[in-house]
Amino acid sequence: MNAILAIARKDLRIEWRTRTLLARVVPFALLVLVLFAVALDSEPLLLRAAAGLVWLAMLFAAMLLVQRSFDVETADHALDSLLSFVSSPSKVFFGKALSMFVQLFALAVVLLGAAVVLYGARVDGDGVVLLVTVLITATIGLSVVGTLYGVVVANMSGRDSLLPLLALPVLAPLLIGAARATEAALGSDTIDLANGWAWVALLVTYAVVFGSAGAVAFAPLAQSDS
Amino acid sequence: MKTGTTTTRVLGIFALMITAWVVVSAFFLTPADVVQGDSVRIMYAHVPTAWIAYLAFVTTAVASGLSLARKHRTLGFDRVAGASAEVGVLFMAMTLITGSLWGRLTWGTFWQWDPRLTTTLFLFVTYVGYLAIRRVDVDPVRRARRSSVIALLAVLEIPLVHFSVVLWRSLHQEASVLNTDGDVRLDDLMLFTLFSGVVAFTLIFVWLVVHRQRLAAMSDVERLVGLDVAITARRAESTVGGGGR
């Protein structure tokens, strides 16, 4: 547990010193939300699509954060040394996923705020519990899958284009679930709160499945053979 | 060098003969459907391609699992996995194309966001990604391990995609374009033609995978031998020059 926290703390400290999230990823994600608004050009449509657009922006931003998180590790074979310090490679996986979670959660809060301001989405009493649960479960799923596919493409040439190609299809169930549940939480005509909770069940399953898969698969993926 | 043997030649000839029979029967012998008319004939190509596509991905998953689990022949299983995925992507593209052509004729639209279609589409994209990553690594051992893990992760992904799309569709009731479901009443000859199509395409699949993985084995050998040849040449150079060690 200490190792997991130490690795997460290391990643967050790097983030704090370089400010990649604040200086690049948050502006990028906000820009995506603005561009969606310009492209769709209809306020009722935007309000209806707000939840989906927020999560789509989250996926795109997550791709950038994952690249960043593993660029740090591949420089100077840092990942090899990191693996030699811990008793089990899965600790590195969970440590990196944890720091990813903290950053993505902060981003999700910012983007939802932007949806309220830009798209006119409303957060009211009943939906708040559901909304927070969705944010947490979906962000966990996004973090574990991001970390897992991040190590797949780490060290590869052309990884910038490979990561989205590999990770986005896998993230499709998460996108569907998170978008629908968020829509329910924001109050929508097409989906009610109870159905929103049904989607949370899917998000929890998703996070558990890929969390365990990541813990198992991280070792053979991270192992260097030279 | 050749990738063919007597077995593959016999296999290929059988595949061709059965395919020829399917073409004749599908176009000329079988009747048109009462509801769908001649468009039902697309089924004789569509159903077998879909079957092969899924068979290919099961093969890839099993071969990848074996490649990871076993100590020996890991590269061999990995080559089978890669060959099977390549053929699978090809057949899945044909499934999607024949399916949307049929959908245009029957449903009045090329595409519907129905669970089966959507799952197939995501499966297709997933394996395109798998093939993309196979092309990157030069070292066969690392490529085998990495692509095996990705193939097994895809096995986890597909049920989740399917389940989420089923849930998505069931919660979002929207008017469907045309309410004819795809069910066709099949007479004996139609059923036999369909069955022959499946057999023919399965033989073609086996033939393609056998050849493709032999080709992959050859290119792996070629790379290893090529390196040895280069090293020998370099050493010979330095002895001739006299300055070498």
Side-chain angles (χ1 to χ4, degrees), chain A residues 152 156 166 169 199 220 225, chain B residues 133 142 145-146 157 164 171:
Chain A
V152 168
M156 276 188 165
L166 286 175
W199 283 112
D225 14 34
Chain B
I133 211 151
R142 195 194 304 168
R145 198 167 51 212
R146 199 177 296 204
E157 170 208 344
S164 62
L171 296 180

Side-chain angles (χ1 to χ4, degrees), chain B:
Chain B
M1 281 201 278
K2 282 181 192 160
T3 54
T5 57
T6 316
T7 323
T8 59
R9 264 174 230 125
V10 171
L11 195 70
I13 290 167
F14 266 111
L16 278 179
M17 277 162 36
I18 302 174
T19 308
W21 148 252
V22 173
V23 169
V24 170
S25 178
F27 278 111
F28 303 109
L29 304 181
T30 54
D33 185 63
V34 189
V35 186
Q36 298 180 18
D38 279 333
S39 72
V40 74
R41 300 186 197 282
I42 295 178
M43 174 188 74
Y44 302 117
H46 177 69
V47 174
T49 50
W51 148 252
I52 295 305
Y54 278 89
L55 173 73
F57 296 137
V58 171
T59 310
T60 300
V62 172
S64 299
L66 287 172
S67 169
L68 266 189
R70 295 183 38 152
K71 291 267 180 295
H72 306 290
R73 296 189 58 81
T74 53
L75 288 184
F77 282 117
D78 177 62
R79 283 192 288 263
V80 172
S84 173
E86 274 183 16
V87 181
V89 163
L90 175 72
F91 275 86
M92 188 140 285
M94 294 198 281
T95 307
L96 291 168
I97 292 169
T98 52
S100 48
L101 291 177
W102 179 85
R104 183 75 182 78
L105 293 170
T106 316
W107 297 332
T109 163
F110 282 113
W111 189 263
Q112 272 201 314
W113 292 100
D114 137 285
R116 218 166 8 157
L117 268 66
T118 313
T119 307
T120 308
L121 185 62
F122 275 114
L123 185 61
F124 178 71
V125 183
T126 302
Y127 279 91
V128 169
Y130 170 84
L131 291 183
I133 211 151
R134 285 192 71 90
R135 299 178 67 92
V136 176
D137 260 327
V138 207
D139 172 38
V141 178
R142 195 194 304 168
R143 183 186 62 200
R145 198 167 51 212
R146 199 177 296 204
S147 43
S148 300
V149 172
I150 296 173
L152 292 178
L153 287 174
V155 176
L156 290 180
E157 170 208 344
I158 294 309
L160 279 168
V161 169
H162 188 78
F163 179 69
S164 62
V165 180
V166 169
L167 195 60
W168 175 43
R169 290 286 79 177
S170 66
L171 296 180
H172 264 248
Q173 281 304 325
E174 278 162 23
S176 50
V177 185
L178 242 173
N179 245 345
T180 31
D181 48 4
D183 287 346
V184 182
R185 260 173 303 150
L186 297 174
D187 70 14
D188 287 347
L189 182 64
M190 292 167 89
L191 209 56
F192 182 68
T193 310
L194 188 59
F195 177 73
S196 315
V198 169
V199 173
F201 278 50
T202 308
L203 292 180
I204 294 173
F205 167 73
V206 174
W207 190 87
L208 284 171
V209 170
V210 167
H211 279 280
R212 183 64 187 92
Q213 67 90 20
R214 280 183 189 158
L215 198 63
M218 280 179 185
S219 79
D220 282 357
V221 169
E222 195 246 325
R223 194 164 40 225
L224 290 175
V225 172
L227 188 62
D228 284 345
V229 169
I231 290 171
T232 324
R234 183 72 190 83
R235 286 201 178 133
E237 247 171 62
S238 55
T239 18
V240 169
R245 288 179 288 138

